[in-house]
């Protein structure tokens, strides 16, 4: 009976992890990321800590998918995950909100440092280059930042970072590409 219970508990844990992990990219999905964000906000409120939320939206992924297929788009997403993961600390949380939108929870950064990190993530992704069917393509990303403090909540933080990301995306349309 104990063996069966242990197996059942292990299976439940496995299913819970699967429900909170993006199957393609092996990072938290929206559900998993929002759970971590809720924990972070509770910690920030209780201990007066600081943090920042960066929302990244991948630029030009749809044209890549349309021209070269979804396998090419998946390759781009995997490269972005690898690049962003190299740029974040073990204590930070990086997840996929859905489609071509990602979020990074950064701990103990000032607003200036958080904005600099968002710009660095944009630059890292901008420098990624791919060759599909003999054509060189780039994707890029636009980042928006929300500073987390004692009055933060999940919905407001995500909305603030998302709005800032759309402002940044509009600005980038007028910038020259690499």
């Amino acid at each position: 009976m104990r063996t069966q219970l242990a197996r059942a508990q292990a299976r439940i844990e496995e299913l819970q992890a699967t429900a909170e992990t993006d199957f393609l990219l092996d990072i938290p999905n929206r559900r998993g990321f929002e759970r971590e964000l809720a924990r972070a906000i509770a910690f920030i409120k209780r201990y007066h800590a600081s943090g920042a939320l960066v929302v990244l939206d991948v630029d030009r992924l749809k044209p890549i998918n349309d021209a070269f297929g979804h396998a090419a788009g998946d390759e781009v997403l995997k490269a972005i995950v690898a690049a962003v993961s190299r740029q974040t600390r073990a204590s930070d949380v990086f997840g996929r909100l859905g489609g071509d939108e990602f979020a990074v929870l950064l701990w103990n950064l000032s607003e200036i440092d958080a904005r600099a990190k968002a710009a660095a993530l944009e630059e890292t992704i901008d420098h990624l280059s791919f060759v599909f069917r003999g054509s060189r393509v780039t994707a890029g990303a636009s980042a928006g930042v929300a500073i987390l403090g004692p009055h933060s909540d999940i919905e407001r933080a995500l909305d603030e970072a998302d709005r800032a990301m759309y402002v940044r995306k509009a600005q980038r349309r007028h910038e020259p590409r690499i």
Side-chain angles (χ1 to χ4, degrees), residues 3-168:
T3 305
Q4 287 177 323
L5 180 58
R7 275 191 280 224
Q9 286 177 321
R11 181 68 177 142
I12 288 169
E13 290 173 13
E14 178 184 327
L15 290 171
Q16 285 175 325
T18 301
E20 294 185 350
T21 302
D22 184 276
F23 71 94
L24 176 67
L25 304 173
D26 199 30
I27 59 174
N29 62 17
R30 183 177 201 103
R31 176 183 293 174
F33 185 83
E34 286 185 0
R35 181 180 48 79
E36 291 299 320
L37 182 58
R39 284 182 179 170
I41 289 173
F43 184 90
I44 287 167
K45 287 179 179 184
R46 181 168 180 154
Y47 297 105
H48 305 286
S50 62
L53 173 65
V54 177
V55 170
L56 292 161
D57 187 76
V58 178
D59 299 329
R60 302 181 296 279
L61 187 64
K62 183 176 178 358
I64 292 170
N65 280 336
D66 291 348
F68 305 105
H70 289 280
D74 290 350
E75 186 178 323
V76 170
L77 293 175
K78 289 175 183 177
I80 288 170
V81 167
V84 171
S85 294
R86 286 190 300 271
Q87 295 286 319
T88 54
R89 302 167 293 187
S91 60
D92 298 330
V93 180
F94 177 42
R96 185 179 187 188
L97 298 180
D100 61 355
E101 193 167 86
F102 296 87
V104 185
L105 170 61
L106 303 166
W107 285 97
N108 298 322
L109 290 181
S110 68
E111 183 172 353
I112 290 169
D113 290 340
R115 294 192 188 288
K117 176 55 90 173
L121 292 173
E122 280 184 356
E123 185 176 344
T124 295
I125 295 167
D126 288 348
H127 283 91
L128 295 175
S129 179
F130 307 89
V131 177
F132 301 117
R133 290 190 225 133
S135 297
R136 182 184 164 281
V137 297
T138 60
S142 300
V145 177
I147 302 305
L148 303 175
H151 302 294
S152 295
D153 66 57
I154 294 172
E155 292 81 19
R156 191 170 30 231
L158 284 167
D159 183 58
E160 183 182 335
D162 202 48
R163 282 186 284 116
M165 179 271 300
Y166 278 109
V167 168
R168 181 66 182 133

